[in-house]
């Protein structure tokens, strides 16, 4: 039987909170447990799950797992395979059920989604402030968060932003002046040289190859390029090479 759980509750400040215990990076709940979570009947939960699969929103192969359960039936203990559904299904059902608990869940989920769209990130401050107890078997994601923050801070654009902020403190700073553009070109070349031993122009000369797809470019911020690579049409590259 899976040891994961999901708890939906209202905190003292009136805000809806979701507390989870993960197993293999997800939560597994049966239809009965989802019925208890969202305060609906089991047939209603089953109907929503069937609609989710029939509409192609999720695939059962990736979201459903059978667990062997021993339950009391009359005076006997009977072992049966019970279907459990992962977090993707639980979230999808939460967006479909009509109940007070379902409404609470949607309010909570919409707040998180809105925060992500507006800010670009979502953090569970309380979970990060209170790491799991040692020996509990629960992962602590704090170091992973620090690793991602370090990667973001080290990005080329962030670095130039910090340089610009420092440069803007000068009394004669003027973004539109040619001297300003020349200064940033020099700084960019110095950073490239410090990291690779070559200037930007030398890197382009070394890597550009008309015989290779996309002139030898290996990475785009957007992660994709458009156009043909057979020499009959220049590919249109979104983003910039890094």
């Amino acid at each position: 039987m899976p040891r994961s759980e999901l708890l939906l509750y209202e905190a003292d400040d009136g805000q809806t909170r979701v507390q989870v215990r993960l197993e293999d990076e997800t939560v597994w709940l049966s239809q009965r447990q989802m019925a208890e979570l969202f305060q609906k009947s089991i047939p209603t939960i089953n109907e929503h799950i069937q609609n989710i699969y029939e509409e192609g929103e999720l695939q059962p192969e990736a979201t459903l797992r059978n667990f062997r359960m021993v339950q009391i039936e009359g005076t006997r203990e009977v072992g049966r395979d019970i279907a459990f559904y992962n977090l993707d299904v639980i979230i999808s059902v939460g967006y479909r059920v009509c109940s007070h608990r379902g409404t609470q869940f949607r309010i909570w989920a919409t707040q998180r989604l809105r925060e992500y769209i507006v800010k670009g990130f979502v953090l569970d401050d309380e979970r990060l402030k209170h790491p799991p107890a040692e020996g509990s078997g629960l992962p602590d994601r704090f170091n992973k968060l620090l690793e991602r923050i370090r990667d973001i801070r080290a990005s080329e654009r962030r670095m130039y932003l910090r340089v610009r902020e420092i440069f803007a403190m000068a009394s004669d700073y003027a973004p539109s002046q040619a001297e300003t553009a020349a200064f940033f070109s020099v700084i960019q070349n110095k950073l490239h040289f410090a990291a690779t031993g070559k200037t930007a122009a030398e890197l382009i000369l070394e890597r550009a190859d008309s015989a290779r797809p996309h002139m030898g470019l290996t990475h785009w911020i957007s992660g994709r390029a458009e156009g043909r690579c057979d020499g009959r049409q220049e590919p249109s590259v979104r983003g910039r090479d890094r």
Side-chain angles (χ1 to χ4, degrees), residues 24-203:
D24 298 330
E25 301 294 324
T26 191
V27 176
W28 295 97
L29 296 182
S30 66
Q31 291 189 14
R32 181 182 298 279
Q33 290 171 319
M34 274 191 274
E36 295 174 357
L37 174 66
F38 294 117
Q39 297 178 341
K40 297 295 289 186
S41 66
I42 295 177
T44 299
I45 298 297
N46 179 67
E47 180 180 353
H48 285 308
I49 292 174
Q50 295 305 314
N51 290 336
I52 289 169
Y53 288 150
E54 290 175 3
E55 294 167 10
E57 180 177 339
L58 296 171
Q59 300 300 320
E61 294 82 5
T63 58
L64 186 154
R65 184 185 297 179
N66 289 321
F67 290 88
R68 190 69 174 177
M69 303 281 294
V70 176
Q71 55 190 23
I72 303 298
E73 296 183 2
T75 58
R76 299 182 304 156
E77 289 187 353
V78 180
R80 298 188 183 278
D81 288 334
I82 304 297
F84 280 76
Y85 304 86
N86 74 358
L87 188 57
D88 294 354
V89 176
I90 299 168
I91 292 173
S92 296
V93 170
Y95 269 101
R96 292 171 180 252
V97 294
C98 295
S99 67
H100 175 68
R101 190 66 64 80
T103 301
Q104 282 184 308
F105 172 81
R106 287 188 291 274
I107 291 174
W108 173 85
T110 301
Q111 289 173 342
R112 304 289 86 73
L113 180 60
R114 183 182 187 278
E115 185 175 1
Y116 176 80
I117 293 174
V118 173
K119 297 181 179 179
F121 64 89
V122 178
L123 292 176
D124 188 339
D125 294 356
E126 294 303 315
R127 188 190 302 187
L128 294 170
K129 290 177 183 177
H130 303 91
E134 187 176 354
S136 65
L138 300 177
D140 186 356
R141 309 292 186 185
F142 185 70
N143 289 336
K144 184 67 175 178
L145 175 62
L146 294 180
E147 180 183 332
R148 294 181 64 176
I149 292 175
R150 283 193 295 267
D151 180 62
I152 293 170
R153 293 182 64 185
S155 69
E156 185 177 341
R157 189 165 184 174
R158 281 288 172 189
M159 192 182 311
Y160 291 143
L161 178 62
R162 293 293 173 260
V163 172
R164 185 165 65 246
E165 289 174 349
I166 296 172
F167 192 43
M169 298 172 65
S171 59
D172 58 348
Y173 174 71
S176 59
Q177 289 185 354
E179 291 82 357
T180 302
F183 169 80
F184 279 106
S185 295
V186 172
I187 292 297
Q188 183 182 41
N189 267 333
K190 287 182 178 293
L191 292 173
H192 280 306
F193 190 84
T196 66
K198 296 180 176 65
T199 65
E202 289 172 332
L203 286 172

